[in-house]
Amino acid sequence: MNLHSGLREYTLTSALKDSRFPPMTRDELPRLFCSVSLLTNFEDVCDYMDWEVGVHGIRIEFINEKGSKRTATYLPEVAKEQGWDHIQTIDSLLRKGGYKAPITNEFRKTIKLTRNTDF
């Protein structure tokens, strides 16, 4: 994705469409602080557990309960800052990506995971 259009798209998605949080309001804008982190050099892995907490940024792709392809990404520091293990991180990413059904180990195995190699 082009960096300029990607920043615009993900800024709006983060501010207004992240199902984990209420949309930002006009009153919050004066107190808004913004930063950008870019993950590069991703590699596919064969197992959704093949990454290190606090080291790798990860991106998952999955098919949701309605049959639509969805994605979600976390920076390397997210799981570490939250105190999450691999399973908690993956489950949080699934929810971030809009997956609403119960999460089973069998479903986790269907996830396509890529990790960044710049660390």
Side-chain angles (χ1 to χ4, degrees), residues 10-54:
Y10 284 106
T11 298
L12 291 172
T13 298
S14 297
L16 304 173
K17 299 178 184 176
D18 190 327
S19 61
R20 299 167 301 156
F21 309 103
M24 285 189 61
T25 66
R26 186 177 302 272
D27 293 339
E28 292 175 293
L29 290 176
R31 298 182 309 278
L32 179 64
F33 172 79
C34 197
S35 65
V36 175
S37 298
L38 299 176
L39 297 175
T40 59
N41 298 324
F42 279 89
E43 64 183 357
D44 292 334
V45 296
C46 296
D47 186 318
Y48 73 95
M49 299 285 281
D50 189 10
W51 57 279
E52 294 180 51
V53 171

